[in-house]
Amino acid sequence: MRSRAGVFWYSLGLTLLLLLPLIALTAFLIHQRQQQNELRQAAAERGGLQIEQGAQDTWCALLVVQHEEPAFVLVRADGPEQNVAFCALPGELQVQAPSGTTTLAACTLSAGPGRAVQLLSQTVATGETAQRPLHYLAATQSCWQDCAGEEAVARLDTASLLSQAERASIGYGEDSVAEVDAAQAPELIAQLQNCLDTPTEKADARAAVWEAFARQNENFLASMPEAWKSYSARTLTDLMATDLADMKATLQYISSQPGMTTGYRSAETQPATGGEVMLSDDGMQTLRELLQ
């Protein structure tokens, strides 16, 4: 009995030694964020200015559609610029790994979206300019549809992506404008991508559809963090409660501004070995700008 008790207390002691520093670090970071917000607000009040929560914050996240072939959309919400930018990335995109290279899709399937985000950040990093933390949020296609809601509808002019012949092949020859709800969006994305050749073009089709939903539905962006929270049991993410609160504040601020803009950016790629692609110089620069 004494031996078992000794093992128990020894194990408990080791567990506490591992957990207590992590708990202390988390508490410290939360305290630091609170202090920064208080100092910023105090400075604004002394200057006679009222700075709305979220007005000075910028964050980036990789949104992942979990599937046999995962899909990726990088989103940047910029409070000072009052802008939300989308940039879809091909699953075949090469990222640097300790053993050489892998792809976003392969890494996500084998090691999870957290590892994919880590390798993407390392691939883009220069060592000269500090990057913003890149969070991740992964969910199934049906979960993303539920987050968007049944009332969300988007209209997309397919002429911005396809030639007249390509549009005609999928039924948009005479009227180039497609109107879809969240449940129909995956089919439209697939139709557009089937008409396109390169991984970059296919990724742009996804980004264009996602951006259309964000731009054309009032309160769509502001409501997304609360939807993510509601469906947290169906998602994989590194977002903590404080991160979600910050994202919500930023998106609510941006959505309330008359000058708010949304758009999608293209990360140009070039062919690599084995059907994979790698970022071109322009594509690398695009991602670096998004992550600054």
Side-chain angles (χ1 to χ4, degrees):
M1 292 297 292
R2 288 194 299 272
S3 177
R4 291 182 178 178
V7 170
F8 168 77
W9 290 113
Y10 180 74
S11 300
L12 179 61
L14 286 178
T15 301
L16 291 175
L17 284 175
L18 292 173
L19 289 179
L20 287 177
L22 293 176
I23 294 172
L25 177 60
T26 301
F28 173 75
L29 292 175
I30 293 174
H31 179 66
Q32 287 288 94
R33 173 57 69 89
Q34 290 174 341
Q35 280 191 326
Q36 290 173 2
N37 288 338
E38 290 172 0
L39 290 172
R40 190 163 54 195
Q41 186 66 32
E45 291 174 356
R46 287 195 300 269
L49 298 174
Q50 293 296 323
I51 298 179
E52 192 171 340
Q53 187 177 6
Q56 294 185 333
D57 294 331
T58 300
W59 57 263
C60 301
L62 186 67
L63 309 182
V64 183
V65 182
Q66 294 174 301
H67 202 260
E68 292 179 0
E69 296 182 5
F72 306 88
V73 179
L74 178 64
V75 59
R76 173 189 169 100
D78 191 325
E81 294 295 327
Q82 301 173 17
N83 170 264
V84 177
F86 296 85
C87 180
L89 301 174
E92 307 97 320
L93 180 65
Q94 284 187 348
V95 290
Q96 298 297 322
S99 58
T101 61
T102 183
T103 65
L104 275 181
C107 184
T108 299
L109 291 173
S110 64
R115 182 57 172 164
V117 160
Q118 184 182 40
L119 295 184
L120 177 62
S121 296
Q122 292 174 358
T123 300
V124 176
T126 65
E128 299 175 358
T129 303
Q131 284 186 342
R132 295 186 181 277
L134 179 59
H135 297 284
Y136 69 88
L137 183 69
T140 63
Q141 186 170 282
S142 62
C143 184
W144 282 116
Q145 293 169 10
D146 290 341
C147 288
E150 296 180 354
E151 297 181 358
V153 176
R155 290 168 56 86
L156 178 73
D157 188 354
T158 59
S160 64
L161 297 166
L162 305 179
S163 67
Q164 184 174 3
E166 291 168 338
R167 299 196 306 272
S169 69
I170 59 173
Y172 296 103
E174 296 182 1
D175 183 0
S176 64
V177 177
E179 182 173 324
V180 294
D181 59 24
Q184 297 165 330
E187 181 181 355
L188 174 61
I189 292 172
Q191 288 178 322
L192 295 171
Q193 291 179 335
N194 285 338
C195 295
L196 298 168
D197 297 324
T198 70
T200 300
E201 293 173 334
K202 293 176 186 289
D204 287 348
R206 181 177 301 279
V209 173
W210 282 53
E211 187 273 335
F213 274 93
R215 174 167 41 88
Q216 298 172 21
N217 292 272
E218 187 176 2
N219 298 324
F220 180 87
L221 291 170
S223 65
M224 287 305 290
E226 198 62 37
W228 298 339
K229 185 177 179 180
S230 299
Y231 294 104
S232 59
R234 298 166 58 188
T235 63
L236 291 174
T237 184
D238 64 340
L239 294 169
M240 301 177 65
T242 53
D243 297 321
L244 275 175
D246 290 342
M247 289 182 176
K248 181 177 180 180
T250 302
L251 289 174
Q252 285 182 336
Y253 169 76
I254 294 173
S255 298
S256 67
Q257 302 306 303
M260 180 195 82
T261 59
T262 63
Y264 72 90
R265 299 188 63 178
S266 177
E268 185 180 287
T269 61
Q270 59 192 31
T273 58
E276 299 175 0
V277 296
M278 59 188 297
L279 291 167
S280 66
D281 290 342
D282 288 343
M284 187 71 78
Q285 181 61 30
T286 295
L287 289 193
R288 286 172 180 163
E289 291 173 359
L290 289 171
L291 294 179
Q292 284 182 358

